Amino acid sequence: MKIAFFDFDGTLTRHDTFIRFAKFSVGKMAFYKALIKSIPVICLWKLGLKSNSDAKQTLFSHLYKGMDYGWFKKLGYAFAPMIDNDSRPEIIEILKQHQRDGRKIIIVSASIADWIKPWAESYGIECVIGTEVEKDKHGRITGRFKTKNCHGAEKVSRIRELYPEIDTFETWAYGDSSGDDAMLSIVNHPNRV
């Protein structure tokens, strides 16, 4: 099997989509209120006393806790066309060349999968590995993540969970940050973009 793995934020896009999606989905005022409430945990993260996952989940909780998950998914579909305005055409062309060459494309991202999947579908990409949202029995977002934040070593864990025999495949990976280093280290053709 031949697979090309792509990070999303900063690789397929120029910027992080979390903040853009947050401002789009709840509005700038609500975003800044949630950000202010999250400052203590963000400061602890910056000081190395909390993980980036803790900071991200705290902000996510302040933004979306209690929101209907069905509505959240609809917001993801509404946001997807806006991602193209921030995409990196040169990396999109590489992705398309892999598709033309018959390779499976998998997006592996720390971002929430629900706003990446609609964008990916528009490019014929069926598999997105990302951070998943936890819902309660009433279909409301709990404010917690269902999976670990898909960052760093977690990217490799999730890839190996899906493809235990990954070491026998011919593989490519594209990433832009240290959060992608672990993923880049397990493929035959690593590409820093």
Side-chain angles (χ1 to χ4, degrees):
M1 182 176 276
K2 296 180 179 183
I3 306 176
F5 300 97
F6 286 83
D7 170 56
F8 195 66
D9 296 311
T11 301
L12 289 168
T13 66
R14 285 179 169 63
H15 304 98
D16 187 286
T17 54
F18 184 95
I19 293 169
R20 291 183 66 225
F21 178 77
K23 289 178 181 177
F24 166 79
S25 61
V26 300
K28 287 183 181 179
M29 288 301 292
F31 167 73
Y32 288 117
K33 280 178 153 178
L35 186 62
I36 289 167
K37 288 180 184 176
S38 304
I39 284 175
V41 176
I42 292 170
C43 288
L44 291 171
W45 163 51
K46 290 295 186 181
L47 291 170
L49 301 172
K50 289 276 187 182
S51 70
N52 71 337
S53 298
D54 292 332
K56 179 178 176 179
Q57 185 166 269
T58 298
L59 179 56
F60 181 84
S61 182
H62 287 306
L63 288 165
Y64 301 109
K65 185 176 181 178
M67 181 182 278
D68 178 74
Y69 178 67
W71 177 246
F72 183 79
K73 283 184 71 168
K74 285 180 184 176
L75 289 167
Y77 274 92
F79 179 69
M82 297 176 183
I83 294 171
D84 278 327
N85 297 333
D86 193 43
S87 68
R88 296 179 66 178
E90 70 279 12
I91 307 303
I92 299 296
E93 185 50 41
I94 291 169
L95 183 149
K96 289 179 178 179
Q97 185 59 53
H98 279 293
Q99 288 176 315
R100 288 190 290 270
D101 291 342
R103 297 170 189 142
K104 183 173 182 68
I105 306 297
I106 299 179
I107 296 174
V108 187
S109 177
S111 276
I112 308 300
D114 292 295
W115 66 74
I116 299 173
K117 287 177 182 176
W119 179 89
E121 288 171 10
S122 72
Y123 282 84
I125 300 166
E126 297 174 2
C127 187
V128 173
I129 300 172
T131 304
E132 300 287 339
V133 175
E134 183 183 83
K135 307 168 285 289
D136 66 18
K137 63 182 180 180
H138 304 292
R140 301 242 172 235
I141 295 173
T142 66
R144 293 183 301 271
F145 298 142
K146 181 179 169 185
T147 61
K148 288 183 181 178
N149 185 31
C150 192
H151 178 267
E154 182 62 17
K155 288 189 176 194
V156 173
S157 295
R158 300 278 295 282
I159 289 169
R160 289 193 183 282
E161 183 181 309
L162 192 60
Y163 294 106
E165 66 282 8
I166 189 74
D167 297 328
T168 65
F169 299 162
E170 185 169 8
T171 52
W172 292 256
Y174 299 83
D176 72 302
S177 71
S178 60
D180 302 315
D181 288 347
M183 178 175 72
L184 294 173
S185 75
I186 66 163
V187 299
N188 309 117
H189 310 284
N191 296 276
R192 172 77 65 188
V193 299

